[in-house]
Amino acid sequence: MPEGHSVRRLADVFRRDFRGQVLAVSSPQGRFADGAALLDGTALLRTEAHGKQMFLGFEGGRWMRVHLGLYGKWAFGTGEPPEPRGALRVRLRGAGADGEGVWADLRGPTACEVLTTAEKEEARSRLGPDPLRRDGDPEVFAARLARSRTSVAALLMDQAVVAGVGNVYRAEALFRARTDPFAPGVEVGRERALALWEDLVLLLRDGVRRGSIVTTLPADRPEGRRRGRVRREDAHYVYRRAGLPCRVCGTTVLTRELVGRNLYWCPVCQAGLPDLSPVLAEAGHVAEARETAARSAAAG
């Protein structure tokens, strides 16, 4: 399932290539025919991502809400689009910046519907704060952890607690914070919750920039591969590394199913809730977060 950084990148494509244009909207498959009829021939005015959901704002106060889920996918192109085939839920077509045409095809989403502005805001209100959004509130995230006895690993997958975090970011953020994934949210504490949030901001922003999820620090990658493009096998600490040695302590990484997805963790590095100060200093979280935030601000 696409995580928050992927949805933000998709929203950026619509903002760059489609915003301000009057679009032809159709549903070759037919399942979105009524919604397409409402949007067809109107201009796309806004694009907005919140966690794993995207909202495309059209004139007339209508919003197209898309949640890709496990199988949804967008495809983009220029010029004439290909002949529609298979289960093509939605096709958007515009003139493009140069008049040669742009198109976007949506297949297999979990949700695709047209909402009013009030309905769109209601849908957003059901989501937790998004670390990629300026209005994302870490105190809300910390408070939602603090009032639950559910495991922190399960809470991170709950989009009403924090929006945009999926299975990869869950496992990696908990490892980077040396946090027991099975610890109840109520025991995590405000300091650790805010540190988790800060690291999620760092990781998700980096994911938007790279177009992929990289969570390892250079020092924890194999010698000779600490600079330049990060290989897929070097990108994560624990995610999909069950049975392999932990990059930090050498203990075998474990896995088990939790809330329908495989959780990965190191039983030594993540044994309990240790003091955060030396953990964060050792991993370089604070310094790296400041450096990344400064780069993002400079880039505008």
Side-chain angles (χ1 to χ4, degrees):
M1 178 184 294
E3 302 197 29
H5 73 293
S6 296
V7 178
R8 172 60 66 88
R9 286 173 64 88
L10 290 168
D12 289 344
V13 172
F14 278 103
R15 185 177 300 111
R16 182 191 68 214
D17 295 341
F18 292 83
R19 188 174 62 175
Q21 300 179 45
V22 173
L23 301 183
V25 184
S26 62
S27 179
Q29 178 195 55
R31 290 185 60 185
F32 188 65
D34 291 344
L38 292 173
L39 303 177
D40 186 40
T42 63
L44 177 64
L45 303 180
R46 294 184 61 188
T47 67
E48 192 173 324
H50 190 134
K52 299 180 182 181
Q53 302 197 35
M54 183 167 63
F55 300 88
L56 300 178
F58 289 79
E59 61 183 332
R62 294 190 174 101
W63 292 81
M64 179 178 170
R65 180 181 78 93
V66 176
H67 182 4
L68 293 176
L70 283 173
Y71 305 110
K73 183 179 295 185
W74 283 101
F76 300 93
T78 57
E80 284 295 316
E83 188 70 20
R85 293 183 179 179
L88 179 52
R89 184 78 58 88
V90 183
R91 170 166 283 177
L92 306 176
R93 297 182 65 183
D98 56 9
E100 293 186 0
V102 290
W103 54 269
D105 285 353
L106 174 64
R107 297 176 184 273
T110 293
C112 178
E113 61 180 344
V114 175
L115 305 176
T116 65
T117 298
E119 290 169 336
K120 172 253 187 182
E121 288 304 317
E122 182 182 356
R124 277 200 56 219
S125 72
R126 295 193 291 268
L127 299 172
D130 180 345
L132 281 173
R133 292 179 60 96
R134 292 182 180 179
D135 60 5
D137 190 339
E139 294 290 351
V140 172
F141 168 67
R144 290 179 182 179
L145 289 187
R147 62 174 179 247
S148 177
R149 297 210 61 83
T150 300
S151 71
V152 63
L155 290 171
L156 287 180
M157 294 288 279
D158 185 344
Q159 298 301 295
V161 174
V162 56
V165 174
N167 206 28
V168 184
Y169 284 122
R170 163 178 78 166
E172 295 298 296
L174 288 172
F175 178 87
R176 284 167 60 106
R178 304 300 192 269
T179 296
D180 178 359
F182 304 104
V186 69
E187 295 181 9
V188 168
R190 179 175 176 274
E191 179 188 7
R192 183 176 298 274
L194 295 180
L196 273 168
W197 174 273
E198 181 181 16
D199 203 37
L200 287 168
V201 171
L202 163 67
L203 293 174
L204 283 157
R205 285 181 178 173
D206 186 68
V208 173
R209 180 178 64 83
R210 292 178 188 267
S212 61
I213 301 177
V214 174
T215 59
T216 52
L217 295 168
D220 294 327
R221 298 171 199 149
E223 288 189 25
R225 304 210 296 260
R226 293 175 178 171
R227 294 188 178 185
R229 187 175 181 85
V230 181
R231 299 184 184 184
R232 180 178 297 181
E233 61 266 30
D234 300 334
H236 305 137
Y237 283 104
V238 292
Y239 179 71
R240 286 192 174 176
R241 298 193 72 247
L244 297 175
C246 172
R247 296 187 189 278
V248 173
C249 74
T251 303
T252 300
V253 174
L254 302 180
T255 185
R256 61 170 279 194
E257 185 177 312
L258 185 68
V259 293
R261 304 297 298 277
N262 289 331
L263 169 69
Y264 303 86
W265 80 101
C266 171
V268 171
C269 290
Q270 295 174 257
L273 301 169
D275 176 33
L276 273 180
S277 301
V279 172
L280 294 180
E282 176 189 357
H285 289 186
V286 174
E288 190 178 1
R290 289 174 178 168
E291 179 183 351
T292 301
R295 286 201 305 267
S296 298

